[in-house]
């Protein structure tokens, strides 16, 4: 009986030691990306002026340039992983990518799933309609069809509008195509994205912004070391004037 008890104690002790050793030897995300010299980033390049595919096939935009500047401070290269916006949070949670940067607004719902960096941009949701439309407020959208990108905070704002039909394509390119073709009466989008599409076509903003939002980078919960490094580099980019130059470059 005593021998069996001793054997159980020894097995438990060895299990504990092996567990502690595994924890001690486990790499943090920051250590992993530093060793590789590359950080993988989930991104949906259909959100101008923050991210889109340019005429030469290259990924361009404010988010793209800002993360390049941040990564340079950390001596890292960026491996962009293109995916639907709604899939990025899951990819971050599963470790498929190290982080996500794609115009993510900080929200309580997302905070339950991922951790946020310090905010890097302030925005809000606005209504966009065709130039000749009489829609001038959220109240005027009752009985109308609203197009909004799936998985965005614009979707949350659209769902609050009583009596409206909300359709949720996978990209804002499709949403604005629907508006242009009169397959939708309005689009709800971030201010800068809305203004970019307004400049391109026969659209206008309607009424006041529906919300105030802050954009941030996202990473898997518990990645304090990686987010701390990103925050430090972001602050350096702001202090050396690069951030202001990018805001000017992208007319934000």
């Amino acid at each position: 009986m005593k021998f069996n008890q001793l054997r159980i104690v020894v097995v438990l002790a060895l299990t504990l030691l092996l567990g502690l050793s595994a924890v001690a030897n486990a790499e943090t995300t920051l250590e992993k990306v530093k060793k590789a010299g590359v950080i993988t980033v989930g991104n949906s390049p259909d959100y101008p002026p923050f991210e889109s595919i340019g005429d030469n096939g290259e990924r361009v935009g404010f988010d793209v340039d800002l993360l390049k500047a941040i990564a340079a401070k950390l001596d890292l290269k960026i491996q962009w992983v293109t995916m639907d916006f709604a899939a990025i949070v899951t990819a971050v949670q599963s470790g498929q990518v190290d982080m996500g940067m794609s115009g993510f607004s900080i929200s309580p719902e997302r905070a339950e799933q991922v951790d946020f960096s310090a905010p890097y941009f302030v925005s809000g949701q606005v209504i966009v309609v065709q130039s000749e439309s009489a829609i001038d407020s959220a109240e005027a959208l009752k009985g109308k069809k609203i197009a909004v990108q799936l998985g965005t905070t614009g979707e949350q704002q659209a769902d609050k509008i009583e009596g409206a039909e909300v359709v949720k394509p996978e990209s804002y390119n499709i949403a604005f195509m629907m508006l242009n073709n009169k397959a939708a009466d309005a689009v709800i989008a971030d201010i800068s994205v809305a203004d970019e599409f307004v400049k391109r076509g026969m659209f206008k903003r309607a009424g006041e912004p529906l919300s105030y939002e802050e954009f941030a980078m996202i990473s898997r919960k518990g990645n304090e070391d990686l987010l701390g490094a990103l925050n430090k580099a972001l602050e350096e980019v702001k202090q050396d004037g690069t951030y202001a130059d990018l805001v000017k470059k992208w007319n934000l």
Side-chain angles (χ1 to χ4, degrees):
M1 186 68 175
K2 289 183 179 179
F3 175 76
N4 288 338
Q5 288 175 334
L6 178 61
R7 183 169 59 183
I8 291 170
V9 170
V10 170
V11 170
L12 289 174
L14 287 173
T15 301
L16 178 61
L17 285 172
L18 288 172
L20 291 173
S21 176
V23 171
N25 292 329
E27 282 186 325
T28 67
T29 302
L30 180 60
E31 290 171 339
K32 185 195 78 170
V33 300
K34 283 285 192 180
K35 181 182 292 186
V38 177
I39 187 165
T40 57
V41 184
N43 180 264
S44 180
D46 53 9
Y47 210 54
F50 292 93
E51 41 263 320
S52 61
I53 301 300
D55 295 337
N56 61 357
E58 293 293 318
R59 194 180 310 259
V60 297
F62 177 76
D63 281 357
V64 177
D65 285 349
L66 180 58
L67 190 57
K68 285 180 180 178
I70 290 171
K73 298 287 185 184
L74 298 173
D75 197 25
L76 293 174
K77 294 181 180 178
I78 302 170
Q79 180 182 339
W80 297 102
V81 181
T82 299
M83 55 185 67
D84 290 339
F85 181 80
I88 298 175
V89 167
T90 302
V92 167
Q93 288 177 306
S94 67
Q96 181 183 345
V97 293
D98 300 314
M99 59 170 288
M101 189 172 188
S102 200
F104 278 99
S105 300
I106 298 173
S107 71
E109 294 81 9
R110 286 179 181 149
E112 294 178 357
Q113 301 173 297
V114 293
D115 284 342
F116 290 100
S117 71
Y120 66 83
F121 192 77
V122 174
S123 186
Q125 298 296 315
V126 293
I127 301 166
V128 181
V129 296
Q130 288 200 344
S131 297
E132 72 277 9
S133 174
I135 295 170
D136 59 0
S137 66
E139 291 75 16
L141 288 171
K142 184 175 182 179
K144 305 296 185 181
K145 183 182 287 187
I146 306 169
V148 63
Q149 184 175 356
L150 179 68
T152 63
T153 50
E155 176 188 354
Q156 297 171 11
Q157 293 298 322
D159 286 340
K160 294 177 183 178
I161 298 174
E162 295 183 6
E165 178 186 354
V166 182
V167 292
K168 304 172 181 180
E170 293 182 350
S171 78
Y172 269 115
N173 289 331
I174 297 174
F176 279 97
M177 187 181 301
M178 292 178 67
L179 179 60
N180 188 57
N181 295 334
K182 299 186 178 180
D185 299 298
V187 170
I188 293 179
D190 288 309
I191 291 172
S192 297
V193 175
D195 287 348
E196 180 67 22
F197 279 96
V198 166
K199 286 189 296 185
R200 293 183 183 185
M202 300 174 291
F203 308 129
K204 65 179 180 180
R205 278 169 52 176
E208 297 297 318
L210 303 175
S211 66
Y212 168 90
E213 300 173 5
E214 295 176 316
F215 286 4
M217 297 168 275
I218 64 171
S219 190
R220 190 169 66 247
K221 278 197 164 294
N223 273 352
E224 291 91 352
D225 61 336
L226 176 61
L227 289 175
L230 292 171
N231 288 340
K232 183 175 182 294
L234 172 61
E235 186 59 32
E236 292 173 359
V237 168
K238 287 182 176 180
Q239 291 179 356
D240 68 16
T242 301
Y243 181 90
D245 290 341
L246 294 179
V247 168
K248 184 177 180 180
K249 173 183 176 180
W250 294 103
N251 297 312
L252 298 176

